[in-house]
Amino acid sequence: MGDNDIEEQDALRDEGEGDNRANPKRSRRRVEQIHSNVCKWMLPEELREKYLERANCCPPPIFIILISLVELGVFIYYAVWKPQKQWITLGTGIWESPLTYKPEQREEAWRFLSYMFVHAGVEHILGNLVMQLLLGIPLELVHKGFEVGMVYMSGVLAGSLASSIFDPLSALVGASGGVYALMGGYFMNAVVNFREMIPLVGVFRILVIVMIVGTDVGFAIYRRFIVHDTAMKVSFVAHIGGGVAGMTVGYVFFTNYNKALLKDPRFWMCIVGYIVFFLFAVIFNIFLSPAPA
């Protein structure tokens, strides 16, 4: 082998090593750009630098991804296990599911949470998955899985409890309570930090949430009171209950970045309010509910 060939191999090796060194740098820059965009949408200006100093994907946004995979898996299970006429709307399978919240079986307390895993059709599951992934992943990158999980689950539980009080004869399926809790917390974050955000971005965030909520709640009310082709009436109150939970519990969690929650009086006010609401709902369902036992 001649000297020229050896020199060419050395040059190619050096180029390859240079590319290998450049790839991690490019990947790092991409990740930094993602974090930069996320913090512009989620945090006021004075907190962005602190976020970027300690931003990382460890742990990754695992809660919202796992919960979405479970919900999708349950939907596919019922669509396949109980062959449906169409996947657009699932029928018998979900209404007989031990996961669905049904007022006459409310003594099975797990149903107040497990209803979030069951969805009534393709548009239902896709709408919830898209919204919770679009909101949940950026929120979890900033606030991590515990905070996002607490807000999400508080919305799910508040949704079913509110439905059992204000629409006590209706069944409940879908993760809308959790999704609306994320939207409620995100909405309050956008409103509270509006002056510290880029004005156009702030207006856009608020308008998008208002349009999505208005359209979805309107459609849910339409299905509840106008459409009569389903065997069971599905409540829309979970949307409102989840949203209120997000605008209270979610507001406290999502506006306390880099602060001690236990020292914030708003945190304890929300906790006490949520406990009072929970106890009232329990007493109502045991002693006052018009729904059959």
Side-chain angles (χ1 to χ4, degrees), residues 2-56:
D3 292 340
N4 290 338
D5 292 338
I6 294 174
E7 290 176 0
E8 288 179 3
Q9 289 181 1
D10 290 341
L12 289 173
R13 190 181 302 113
D14 291 340
E15 288 178 6
E17 291 175 355
D19 290 341
N20 290 336
R21 287 193 296 268
N23 284 335
K25 290 182 180 178
R26 281 199 295 267
S27 299
R28 197 177 304 115
R29 282 197 295 269
R30 291 193 192 100
V31 172
E32 289 173 355
Q33 186 62 44
I34 291 172
H35 283 297
S36 177
N37 291 334
V38 165
C39 73
K40 286 179 182 177
W41 280 87
M42 297 291 171
L43 293 172
E45 189 171 358
E46 72 269 12
L47 295 177
R48 292 173 194 167
E49 185 176 352
K50 176 64 70 177
Y51 169 75
L52 291 173
E53 285 176 3
R54 43 185 244 188
N56 58 68

Side-chain angles (χ1 to χ4, degrees), residues 136-210:
I137 288 177
L139 284 169
E140 202 167 338
L141 284 173
V142 174
H143 300 283
K144 303 308 178 186
F146 175 76
E147 286 87 350
V148 173
M150 287 290 289
V151 173
Y152 188 90
M153 296 306 297
S154 72
V156 171
L157 183 57
S160 58
L161 292 176
S163 179
S164 70
I165 295 171
F166 298 105
D167 197 7
L169 302 180
S170 295
L172 206 57
V173 293
S176 295
V179 175
Y180 270 70
L182 296 181
M183 283 198 287
Y186 184 77
F187 175 79
M188 289 301 295
N189 184 295
V191 171
V192 170
N193 296 318
F194 181 81
R195 291 186 178 181
E196 298 164 16
M197 301 284 184
I198 301 171
L200 187 60
V201 172
V203 171
F204 178 75
R205 292 169 68 187
I206 294 172
L207 285 179
V208 167
I209 295 173
V210 169

Side-chain angles (χ1 to χ4, degrees), residues 82-143:
K82 287 280 189 180
Q84 310 293 323
K85 295 179 180 179
Q86 56 177 348
W87 276 34
I88 301 301
T89 303
L90 303 189
T92 307
I94 61 169
W95 301 128
E96 295 179 355
S97 169
L99 303 176
T100 301
Y101 172 78
K102 300 166 78 173
E104 66 274 14
Q105 293 177 303
R106 63 190 182 280
E107 72 277 2
E108 297 173 349
W110 71 83
R111 292 178 183 264
F112 283 89
L113 288 174
S114 64
Y115 77 94
M116 70 178 180
F117 296 116
V118 189
H119 288 78
V122 170
E123 63 179 23
H124 194 196
I125 182 75
L126 286 182
N128 280 344
L129 289 183
V130 168
M131 284 306 304
Q132 69 189 31
L133 288 172
L134 284 177
L135 287 174
I137 288 177
L139 284 169
E140 202 167 338
L141 284 173
V142 174
H143 300 283

Side-chain angles (χ1 to χ4, degrees), residues 59-74:
I62 193 166
F63 169 80
I64 204 69
I65 291 174
L66 281 179
I67 207 77
S68 299
L69 288 174
V70 173
E71 290 166 4
L72 180 61
V74 171

